[in-house]
Amino acid sequence: MQTELSKTLGVEHAVFGFTPFPAVAAAISRAGGFGVLGAVRYTAPDDLKRDLDWLEAHVDGKPYGLDVVMPAKKVEGVTEADVEAMIPEGHRQFVRETLAKYGVPELADGEASGWRITGWMEQVARTQLDVAFDYPIRLLANALGSPPADVVDRAHDQDILVAALAGSARHAVKHKDAGIDIVVAQGYEAGGHTGEIATMVLTPEVVDAVAPLPVLAAGGIGSGQQVAAALSLGAQGVWLGSMWLTVTEADLSSPAVTRKLLAAGSGDTVRSRALTGKPARQLRTEWTDAWDDASGPGTLPMPLQGLLVAEALTRIQKYEVEPLLGTPVGQIVGRITSERSVQAVFDDLTRGFEQAVDRINRIAGRSGK
């Protein structure tokens, strides 16, 4: 599963694996793919440094990258406390009532929320980059579009390729104009923040719009046959995230979430603003239903919603309140039916890819098989 891009980066397979877990990112790179560590949860620079040290020691010299959540436009002088003060009391009351309805216990005295959407803030993202640029990362990806121009220049000065996610051809062209090296065409089926256009439609539109820049296809890809389809649409690789949530190397920390993922079908996700304020595909739960119900107060814009629900989600996760318990995941969750190693996932991908290529060759009359 090699392309020009995978050869440029020195990887065997054009499979880019996004994950919040260093052990999974390292295993993806060791298996011949390109591991990309998600940085949004690292609010303390020392924590990111610790995990990058570990990653560097466990990739066996193979390349890897980092994914940040960084706004292209800088907002001066706004602190997290300033943003918190903008949250209406009615929304806080709705959270309290919903948690009480399901009997979700309080955190212990002095126990802080373990989940904060703060990586979107300019100062947090820049501290992450100050750490990351001390490591030999080969790729910097941004989930909120093109990074600021000075960040792109700094990455290029260190021979680091820059990627940005796009949900439409129009967004992709803006990335190209901003000097981005790789566009990730993320379809409607993908987990997390995603747009309105399906991967099968979006990928060739983006390929045509930004040529000759390489494009990675994302969303609804979890088999070798789907990898072959993405490459046939003009992509130079695939970007996979959901497939790694239940691998044995992952540290999901919640057996209940793992059980729900393994039991879910492709119709058991919903594109909801309940998590961050922007549409994000995730498991459908009674928590997402409550926020999407017309009788409720409705969600707040990003980043207010993420800050509003941070402590609530920590409590739901800590006490594994199953009706409310969810996670970002794409529609490909229907293919995730067992816990496997990263290597086993790659073995399945390569077998399926070979089968798909052989099938097309037979149809085209180019194979005697």
Side-chain angles (χ1 to χ4, degrees), residues 105-161:
E106 298 275 355
L107 296 176
D109 289 343
E111 184 177 0
S113 166
W115 186 91
R116 304 289 282 177
I117 291 292
T118 54
W120 56 270
M121 297 183 73
E122 176 80 11
Q123 63 268 34
V124 176
R126 285 190 178 274
T127 60
Q128 294 167 350
L129 293 176
D130 287 341
V131 172
F133 283 137
D134 286 336
Y135 292 82
I137 61 173
R138 294 295 313 281
L139 175 72
L140 174 66
N142 189 32
L144 280 184
S146 304
D150 69 295
V151 172
V152 175
D153 290 342
R154 187 177 175 188
H156 287 166
D157 287 344
Q158 295 188 213
D159 198 28
I160 297 169
L161 297 180

Side-chain angles (χ1 to χ4, degrees), residues 155-317:
H156 287 166
D157 287 344
Q158 295 188 213
D159 198 28
I160 297 169
L161 297 180
V162 181
L165 276 64
S168 71
R170 178 172 58 86
H171 292 153
V173 170
K174 289 183 178 180
H175 296 338
K176 181 180 181 181
D177 293 343
I180 299 303
D181 304 292
I182 302 167
V183 175
V184 181
Q186 181 168 274
Y188 173 82
E189 306 95 322
H193 295 136
T194 185
E196 302 276 359
I197 305 171
T199 304
M200 186 68 123
V201 176
L202 179 65
T203 301
E205 286 185 353
V206 172
V207 168
D208 290 344
V210 302
L213 287 188
V215 172
L216 302 177
I221 301 171
S223 72
Q225 291 87 345
Q226 289 163 325
V227 175
L231 299 189
S232 73
L233 293 173
Q236 286 203 32
V238 294
W239 178 276
L240 308 185
S242 299
M243 289 301 296
W244 318 111
L245 288 173
T246 62
V247 294
T248 53
E249 294 90 345
D251 181 21
L252 204 52
S253 76
S254 173
V257 170
T258 299
R259 287 195 301 271
K260 293 184 81 169
L261 287 169
L262 296 178
S266 56
D268 291 328
T269 69
V270 64
R271 196 165 158 269
S272 171
R273 297 178 184 269
L275 184 63
T276 68
K278 290 185 68 175
R281 187 169 296 284
Q282 55 203 280
L283 282 179
R284 182 175 182 177
T285 67
E286 293 184 34
W287 177 259
T288 61
D289 286 349
W291 281 105
D292 294 339
D293 194 303
S295 65
T299 56
L300 296 169
M302 188 180 190
L304 300 182
Q305 182 71 15
L307 293 173
L308 168 66
V309 303
E311 182 181 322
L313 294 180
T314 297
R315 290 164 60 185
I316 291 167
Q317 292 165 2

Side-chain angles (χ1 to χ4, degrees), residues 10-28:
V11 295
E12 183 179 359
H13 303 301
V15 175
F16 293 70
F18 165 80
T19 174
F21 308 120
V24 178
I28 290 168

Side-chain angles (χ1 to χ4, degrees), residues 62-130:
K62 303 294 180 61
Y64 60 92
L66 191 76
D67 179 277
V68 297
V69 180
M70 191 174 194
K73 296 181 180 179
K74 185 173 182 177
V75 179
E76 297 282 359
V78 177
T79 67
E80 186 175 334
D82 295 331
V83 178
E84 289 265 17
M86 301 176 190
I87 298 173
E89 178 56 32
H91 283 74
R92 296 187 187 276
Q93 181 62 26
F94 179 75
V95 170
R96 290 192 291 267
E97 291 173 354
T98 304
L99 296 178
K101 176 182 177 181
Y102 290 90
V104 182
E106 298 275 355
L107 296 176
D109 289 343
E111 184 177 0
S113 166
W115 186 91
R116 304 289 282 177
I117 291 292
T118 54
W120 56 270
M121 297 183 73
E122 176 80 11
Q123 63 268 34
V124 176
R126 285 190 178 274
T127 60
Q128 294 167 350
L129 293 176
D130 287 341

